[in-house]
Amino acid sequence: MSEATAQPGARMTAEIAEQPHVFGELLAHRAEIAEVATRIAERRPRFALLAARGSSDHAALYAKYLIEVLLQLPVGLVSPSTTTLYGARPDLTDVLLLSVSQSGGSPDLLEVTEAGRKAGATTVAVTNTAESPLNRAAEMSVGIRAGQEQAVAATKTYSATLLALYLLVDAVRGGNAEHARALPELARTTLDTTEQAVAEAVHRYRFADRMVTTGRGYSLATACEAALKLAETSYLSARAYSGADLLHGPVAAVDAETAVLALCSAGKGGASTREVLEAVHERGADICAIGSAAADVPAAHRIGVPDCAEELAPVLEVLPVQRLALGLALERGGDPDNPRGLKKVTRTR
């Protein structure tokens, strides 16, 4: 499809639909990820650091939960400017540094990775571009195998990054991707069964001026990604909070004019979100619940997602989120394939 004849949102629509296939491809090559995992496990890192920007930062947040819960290792999120602007060079001996970048072209992350490797870290790049500068800078690399992404807003590269990170962490702990093997089919089911509910949500929230997104546990990453997608494609004023943080002050700003997008998948995170949503519901907010436990929370609108292992829920629950962002952008007269002022690679200096 040429640029001249392409309909608004055509690329984003196509790339959302590709995700079940992308998951299948990634799972078919999980042995390559397992090789990297074996080398990491042999080094027995004492803690992990995660470096990322944009949507990849939300994937890194997901990885933070995976590593802390499944590997029982402390994890920190790197502030790239401490390296690029302030020249900090901490000793990273016995530290695992994961640099997550869909393009592999972020100058910030490249500098962080190069500095980290010189400081003794085990450096691993997680990217969609095999020949990227980031892959060359890191000692090891994990490819997310999403294929070329033409839409500016990340969809398939984001979800593929989540799955790649899960496969890596699962393999480090000695797993064999047992819980992930059904994801391609579950993703197809999610896209097929949520289409009508997403369309109804687009109609319901097309005039919303501001939206709060929330989730707990693994789903916090999806809440953060949802806020970014809504802001960058629909130009909504969207803000993400963990459920716990939402109750510590920001809930005071929630009222009947506030739309709340809540990620509620089965498991400990989803169960703890119920209390949060009850408080938000009492303040009159219009709640849209997305996830495998959406039926269990107070909400004006629900988008159910197939059940899976809690640590994999973000891979599925982000699919209707992406479609919601796409639909709202089109309904509000925008083109999510060409959002204003948005670029793939983040540069901060």
Side-chain angles (χ1 to χ4, degrees), residues 170-340:
D170 180 61
V172 170
R173 69 168 174 169
N176 61 0
E178 176 184 1
H179 296 305
R181 294 177 188 177
L183 278 178
E185 187 56 38
L186 288 173
R188 290 187 188 95
T189 300
T190 300
L191 290 173
D192 289 344
T193 60
T194 61
E195 186 171 4
Q196 182 59 36
V198 169
E200 292 170 359
V202 168
H203 181 77
R204 185 179 188 93
Y205 300 107
R206 67 193 188 280
F207 297 125
D209 291 322
R210 59 192 176 99
M211 185 173 287
V212 169
T213 66
T214 189
R216 294 204 70 183
Y218 296 104
S219 294
L220 176 58
T222 313
C224 293
E225 177 65 8
L228 175 61
K229 281 290 165 285
L230 291 167
E232 71 184 359
T233 60
S234 303
Y235 316 127
L236 265 170
S237 176
R239 179 71 182 269
Y241 295 97
S242 78
D245 288 339
L246 183 57
L247 291 185
H248 283 81
V251 71
V254 173
D255 56 24
E257 300 300 316
T258 308
V260 175
L261 184 65
L263 284 307
C264 310
S265 287
K268 294 179 180 178
S272 67
T273 302
R274 181 180 179 86
E275 178 186 357
V276 176
L277 296 185
E278 287 174 349
V280 170
H281 179 69
E282 289 177 1
R283 299 188 65 85
D286 191 309
I287 301 172
C288 176
I290 295 179
S292 56
D296 300 331
V297 300
H301 189 72
R302 297 178 176 87
I303 303 175
V305 172
D307 198 8
C308 67
E310 181 180 6
E311 60 265 30
L312 282 165
V315 182
L316 295 180
E317 65 194 13
V318 77
L319 304 182
V321 166
Q322 293 168 350
R323 274 201 171 154
L324 177 61
L326 167 66
L328 285 173
L330 295 174
E331 188 69 23
R332 293 157 72 97
D335 181 2
D337 287 339
N338 295 289
R340 296 191 300 262

Side-chain angles (χ1 to χ4, degrees), residues 36 39-40 43 95-97 99 113-114 116-118 120-125 133-142:
V36 175
R39 294 173 65 184
I40 293 172
R43 298 187 187 184
V95 172
L96 170 63
L97 173 62
S99 298
T113 303
E114 291 173 338
R117 189 169 182 179
K118 291 177 182 177
T122 294
T123 53
V124 180
L134 188 61
N135 276 22
R136 293 193 295 271
E139 180 184 356
M140 294 175 270
S141 64
V142 170

Side-chain angles (χ1 to χ4, degrees), residues 50 55-70 75 77 98 100 158-170 180 183 217-222 224-225 308-317:
L50 299 160
S55 285
S56 293
D57 206 22
H58 305 150
L61 177 59
Y62 170 65
K64 185 176 188 293
Y65 276 86
L66 289 175
I67 295 171
E68 289 182 345
V69 176
L70 303 185
V75 184
L77 298 176
L98 289 177
V100 186
Y158 175 75
S159 59
T161 301
L162 297 186
L163 179 53
L165 288 165
Y166 173 80
L167 293 174
L168 179 65
V169 173
D170 180 61
L183 278 178
Y218 296 104
S219 294
L220 176 58
T222 313
C224 293
E225 177 65 8
C308 67
E310 181 180 6
E311 60 265 30
L312 282 165
V315 182
L316 295 180
E317 65 194 13

Side-chain angles (χ1 to χ4, degrees), residues 56 100-107 109-110 125-129 131-136 345:
S56 293
V100 186
S101 171
Q102 293 146 18
S103 69
S106 169
L109 299 189
L110 178 60
V126 181
T127 79
N128 192 42
T129 310
E131 300 303 320
S132 70
L134 188 61
N135 276 22
R136 293 193 295 271
V345 177

